[in-house]
Amino acid sequence: LIFLSGTIGLLFRSMAMAIVIALVTSQIIAVVVTPIFAMWIATRAKHFHRLPGERWLRRHYGRLLVAGMRRPWLAVPVVL
């Protein structure tokens, strides 16, 4: 859509750029931010919990993360 010429190209160019920017941003978050958040939540904390629900979040998210890694085939129905 970015490379269309004429009136159609003018109409769709901004929409195509918005889609490209959204996809690139989503990919960066999926590759960088999500694994960091997963490691931060799943690691056992040796310090006191500063946030009110942090202990609960760590415990439950850690269990789900480990269960998901042990059964990767379950990701297909979840994604669908």
Side-chain angles (χ1 to χ4, degrees):
L1 291 175
I2 292 174
F3 300 112
L4 288 176
S5 61
T7 308
I8 301 292
L10 288 173
L11 290 172
F12 286 117
R13 189 167 295 132
S14 59
M15 181 182 69
M17 288 301 295
I19 291 171
V20 168
I21 291 170
L23 287 173
V24 169
T25 305
S26 174
Q27 186 68 31
I28 290 170
I29 289 173
V31 170
V32 176
V33 176
T34 304
I36 291 172
F37 182 66
M39 284 179 19
W40 176 72
I41 294 293
T43 56
R44 295 183 185 254
K46 296 183 180 182
H47 58 82
F48 63 94
H49 299 282
R50 290 171 278 188
L51 299 175
E54 187 174 348
R55 179 175 291 160
W56 182 88
L57 182 64
R58 280 182 184 272
R59 185 173 56 239
H60 288 82
Y61 185 76
R63 285 183 191 162
L64 284 173
L65 187 64
V66 170
M69 287 189 288
R70 287 186 180 152
R71 297 175 200 89
W73 53 270
L74 282 177
V76 174
V78 170
V79 169
L80 291 177

